Amino acid sequence: QVRLVESGGGLVQAGGSLRLSCAASGTIFSINVMGWYRQAPGKQRELVAGISSGGSTNYADSVKARFTISRDNAKNTVYLQMNSLKPEDTAVYFCKVNYRGYVYWGQGTQITVSS
């Protein structure tokens, strides 16, 4: 069983930065894909960024050039560096891990960007 622990959420002013972390624990040999999703009130959960075991990344168009996803395989941790934050980025952010055919979700962390 894989458990995901997220940290780094909070309140920030527009234009500011935050860094999210998601650490996976359990019996893990090699995680295939790690990523971040977000869900704003009244909206569908959407992909923010993902990163494969080989380092290939993809981003939602709305966050390209502002967010950077990275991973530390030794720590089984994925990060999301968020710069130039906008009020539209306000949402609950969820860590997601694909591991051996299963999908694991974190509990979610609130990001609020004020204007």
Side-chain angles (χ1 to χ4, degrees):
Q1 181 67 39
V2 175
R3 178 181 295 178
L4 306 180
V5 180
E6 301 156 333
S7 62
L11 175 65
V12 66
Q13 290 188 325
S17 299
L18 286 173
R19 184 177 176 86
L20 301 181
S21 298
C22 175
S25 62
T27 304
I28 301 172
F29 297 95
S30 182
I31 297 175
N32 298 105
V33 177
M34 307 182 79
W36 292 93
Y37 285 69
R38 68 185 181 187
Q39 187 167 24
K43 296 185 178 181
Q44 297 282 345
R45 187 174 298 186
E46 64 175 352
L47 173 68
V48 177
I51 184 168
S52 72
S53 60
S56 178
T57 61
N58 66 289
Y59 298 90
D61 289 340
S62 60
V63 306
K64 286 182 179 178
R66 298 191 298 119
F67 292 9
T68 302
I69 188 170
S70 61
R71 61 191 288 171
D72 185 334
N73 292 330
K75 297 180 179 179
N76 289 318
T77 300
V78 62
Y79 305 93
L80 185 67
Q81 178 66 46
M82 303 182 290
N83 299 324
S84 301
L85 283 162
K86 304 175 180 179
E88 303 93 278
D89 296 318
T90 296
V92 177
Y93 285 68
F94 297 89
C95 178
K96 179 187 177 184
V97 167
N98 292 359
Y99 179 63
R100 297 195 171 186
Y102 293 88
V103 178
Y104 300 88
W105 291 93
Q107 291 291 95
T109 184
Q110 177 71 48
I111 300 297
T112 301
V113 184
S114 64
S115 59

